[in-house]
């Protein structure tokens, strides 16, 4: 097996299987000829994985899944139309209409909101751990019907790091899986499977694709977790449609032996709820992944330079800076362990001054894009408390350590000196920094 940087260019795609096309072809087709009745019977009874209808699979999305599998040393993956589909389908799959989700307030705003807006409707509830920085806090918050621990490896906007190895141990002692949203880290900075994660989800919209030109998501698994326990009957139920050609009843563990979790997402959630990734979008993500390491390395290097600059402005327009590369940051030790290449390219700082000065500051930047996105090749700036995280109640915002003065930056690939000069100009327009 080749190494990461070779896999990101070649894994999961053999040109000889596609008319020797060098670039992964976009299979713009809804359905595929079944060929013969024999072949059709094989496909409809899950004895063949050839594509038959693009909601379920397509050679372009297959190539993306195969590449992601290699990049993680995973066993199975399913690509989806968005990161939100990846998050919600994973949580729907593990809870199956009952039980509780254990998580932290340091979640993507939409993911957090889905817990109150969708899951509660389906009788699935959630608990926040008291202190996400203390793994024992997860153990204390486990309830008898907790079905999963769900966390982000690196969080937005404050770049906090969760000790996923310790949290995975606690999950496994309770015989439940750990699902990690690894969007901010990308597999270049961190492979959560190496630290005990059972399921890894992505918004590929962000750093994975990296150019702010596509909405996409993915779920991966590594077959380590035992789903055949009394907590998860949904995986060993034998729905009629899974029966073999001999009529024998089969469950998800039989049919999707390399990946019962993503197999069930494909057969149930993708099939019936339908958030299929378009082949064109899959192509854009594949293209982005070809330069993942080079982009993310420059982005984390840029982040360090911006952190240094912002720290030099403390007391002169800046109240505080939050990123593990900052001088006084409680996540430095965890960063050494989990993020030796750099703890991501999203950071936050406190902007001094009043609301009027914040407005002036945000409107004065010229290179930084003012938009609700991260992980783009372009550097982005935003005020989370009234934009990306505005749906959170003041109490939850507080718990997530997001305040009116919080400004989030997502570093792109520009020259760091230009980015610094752009901020310097904005500080002076806002009347800060003298
Ligand atoms: C953006 C994001 C999502 C949602 O992804 P979409 O592709 O926008 O649906 C989920 N988790 C994290 C951490 C994100 O940053």
């Amino acid at each position: 097996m080749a190494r990461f940087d070779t896999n990101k260019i070649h894994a999961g795609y053999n040109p000889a299987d596609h008319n020797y096309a060098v670039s992964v072809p976009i299979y713009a087709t809804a359905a595929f000829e079944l060929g013969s009745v024999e072949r059709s019977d094989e496909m409809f009874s899950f004895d063949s994985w050839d594509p038959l209808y693009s909601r379920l699979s397509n050679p372009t999305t297959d190539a993306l899944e195969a590449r992601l599998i290699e990049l993680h040393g995973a066993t199975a993956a399913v690509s989806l139309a968005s990161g939100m589909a990846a998050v919600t389908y994973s949580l729907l799959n593990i809870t199956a209409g009952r039980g509780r989700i254990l998580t932290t307030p340091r979640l993507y705003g939409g993911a957090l909101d889905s817990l109150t807006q969708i899951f509660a409707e389906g009788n699935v509830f959630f608990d926040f751990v008291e202190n996400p920085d203390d793994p024992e806090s997860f153990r204390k918050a486990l309830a008898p019907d907790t079905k999963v621990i769900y966390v982000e490896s690196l969080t937005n906007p404050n770049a906090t790091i969760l000790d996923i190895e310790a949290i995975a141990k606690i999950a496994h002692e309770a015989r439940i899986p750990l699902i990690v949203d690894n969007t901010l880290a990308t597999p270049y900075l961190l492979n959560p499977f190496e630290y005990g994660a059972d399921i890894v989800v992505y918004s590929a919209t962000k750093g994975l694709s990296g150019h702010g030109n596509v909405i996409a998501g993915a779920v991966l698994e590594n077959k380590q977790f035992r789903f055949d326990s009394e907590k998860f009957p949904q995986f060993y139920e034998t729905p009629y449609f899974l029966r073999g050609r001999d009529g024998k009843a089969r469950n998800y563990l039989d049919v999707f032996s390399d990946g019962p979790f993503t197999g069930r997402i494909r057969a149930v959630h993708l099939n019936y709820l339908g958030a299929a990734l378009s082949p064109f979008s899959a192509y854009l993500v594949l293209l982005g992944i070809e330069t993942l390491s080079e982009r993310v390395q420059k982005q984390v290097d840029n982040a360090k330079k911006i952190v240094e600059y912002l720290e030099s402005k403390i007391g002169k327009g800046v109240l505080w800076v939050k990123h593990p590369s900052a001088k006084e940051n409680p996540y430095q030790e965890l960063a050494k362990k989990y993020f030796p290449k750099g703890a991501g390219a999203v950071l936050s700082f406190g902007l001094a001054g009043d609301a009027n000065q914040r407005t002036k500051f945000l409107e004065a930047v010229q290179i930084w894009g003012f938009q609700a996105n991260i992980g783009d090749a372009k550097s982005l700036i935003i005020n989370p408390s009234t934009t990306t995280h505005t749906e959170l109640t003041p109490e939850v915002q507080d718990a997530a350590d997001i305040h009116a003065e919080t400004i989030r930056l997502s570093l792109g690939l520009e020259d760091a000196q230009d980015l610094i000069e752009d901020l310097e100009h904005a500080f002076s327009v806002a009347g800060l920094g003298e």
Side-chain angles (χ1 to χ4, degrees), residues 83-263:
M84 276 313 302
V87 171
T88 53
Y89 286 11
S90 295
L91 295 175
L92 287 168
N93 195 29
I94 199 63
T95 52
R98 51 203 167 244
R100 311 187 71 83
I101 296 164
L102 181 57
T103 188
T104 86
R106 297 178 199 158
L107 284 189
Y108 176 69
L112 192 46
D113 234 24
S114 76
L115 300 178
T116 53
Q117 301 303 316
I118 294 181
F119 284 90
E121 276 184 2
N123 259 327
V124 172
F125 303 97
F126 71 96
D127 300 296
F128 282 149
V129 298
E130 205 176 292
N131 176 11
D133 295 325
D134 175 14
E136 285 307 311
S137 201
F138 285 81
R139 194 193 309 279
K140 281 188 203 125
L142 287 168
D145 58 344
T146 301
K147 294 291 171 71
V148 61
I149 297 180
Y150 173 64
V151 299
E152 296 183 14
S153 48
L154 182 61
T155 73
N156 156 26
N158 294 323
T160 72
I161 299 170
L162 293 201
D163 190 350
I164 56 174
E165 186 165 44
I167 297 167
K169 281 208 184 92
I170 290 164
H172 296 157
E173 282 167 27
R175 305 234 182 286
I176 59 173
L178 172 66
I179 301 183
V180 174
D181 182 332
N182 198 44
T183 298
L184 268 73
T186 83
Y188 170 69
L189 295 177
L190 174 72
N191 180 355
F193 289 122
E194 289 175 5
Y195 295 100
D198 302 289
I199 309 294
V200 176
V201 302
Y202 285 102
S203 167
T205 310
K206 316 289 171 53
L208 257 185
S209 61
H211 294 77
N213 56 2
V214 61
I215 301 284
V219 182
L220 291 116
E221 69 182 302
N222 68 348
K223 229 179 113 174
Q224 293 298 304
F225 186 77
R226 301 281 311 252
F227 289 102
D228 55 346
S229 84
E230 76 286 358
K231 276 191 197 263
F232 305 107
Q234 66 267 37
F235 292 99
Y236 52 85
E237 276 163 2
T238 54
Y240 183 65
F241 76 89
L242 281 186
R243 72 191 182 285
R245 275 188 287 169
D246 55 4
K248 234 178 96 194
R250 296 186 300 187
N251 64 31
Y252 292 94
L253 302 164
D254 302 324
V255 173
F256 301 99
S257 53
D258 276 343
F261 190 84
T262 55

Side-chain angles (χ1 to χ4, degrees), residues 253-279:
L253 302 164
D254 302 324
V255 173
F256 301 99
S257 53
D258 276 343
F261 190 84
T262 55
R264 190 169 184 274
I265 287 180
R266 193 185 301 279
V268 176
H269 307 92
L270 179 55
N271 197 13
Y272 304 133
L273 297 172
L277 182 64
S278 93

